[in-house]
Amino acid sequence: AQSVTQLDSHVSVSEGTPVLLRCNYSSSYSPSLFWYVQHPNKGLQLLLKYTSAATLVKGINGFEAEFKKSETSFHLTKPSAHMSDAAEYFCVVSPPRVGGNEKLTFGTGTRLTIIP
Amino acid sequence: SQTIHQWPATLVQPVGSPLSLECTVEGTSNPNLYWYRQAAGRGLQLLFYSVGIGQISSEVPQNLSASRPQDRQFILSSKKLLLSDSGFYLCAWRITNSGNTIYFGEGSWLTVV
């Protein structure tokens, strides 16, 4: 069984300040973890993924996330927010193997607002 | 490189009318294909997935159906739409031999009136 919790439904930061979007997971195995970004009326774009390699994962647009097994967390961070980062962000957990019917579990999303 | 196309991008349909949303993937073979729905203010709900031609698994009982007539084509249908079918529908794909990353189309906005 697996689950994912995004601790904040809405985060507001000023442009140029750090971003922290929190994600905790629960899994009975070593999961794969993903962060996706969704801009208004668009599909989901992969930001980064963790698949049991390095625990600090770097993604696109300056985002990174650190897998912390002891804390069952996979928080998304960015040192300096840009106006274009305003979007909805989804944390996703998946079983590590792919055979066709592995279920991805999506968090409920965090809406990031950037204050000029 | 692989691409995914989904259409129409927006659709306004009256209650009781039929629905057909189409999705095609290019640049890959034998992908797993998925239909998700995202209702306003809510997360993503998996509706259907397919591991091959003609193979459809339904996750949520409802008045929607899916079909996969070709390897890289996935169609979401309904014979009679309900108001509750309104939402943002996303097609997605992944291939089994390159990890379990899933890639999404641009989505289709359906408003049932």
Side-chain angles (χ1 to χ4, degrees), chain A residues 23-89:
Chain A
C23 173
N24 284 102
Y25 71 92
S26 173
S27 176
S28 54
Y29 37 71
S30 295
S32 295
L33 293 157
F34 308 82
W35 276 100
Y36 286 85
V37 60
Q38 185 180 31
H39 289 91
N41 301 318
K42 296 291 186 181
L44 276 71
Q45 180 185 18
L46 179 68
L47 272 180
L48 50 82
K49 63 180 178 180
Y50 166 77
T51 54
S52 75
T55 56
L56 182 61
V57 182
K58 294 187 182 298
I60 62 172
N61 301 335
F63 284 94
E64 62 182 36
E66 186 172 8
F67 174 72
K68 292 186 176 180
K69 186 175 181 179
S70 60
E71 299 176 10
T72 62
S73 69
F74 190 57
H75 300 335
L76 182 70
T77 60
K78 183 174 181 178
S80 177
H82 190 272
M83 293 301 296
S84 61
D85 295 328
E88 188 93 15
Y89 291 79

Side-chain angles (χ1 to χ4, degrees), chain B residues 42-59:
Chain B
R42 300 176 63 180
L44 274 74
Q45 179 186 37
L46 178 62
L47 301 175
F48 301 94
Y49 68 90
S50 171
V51 300
I53 296 173
Q55 301 178 60
I56 308 295
S57 296
S58 175
E59 290 295 301

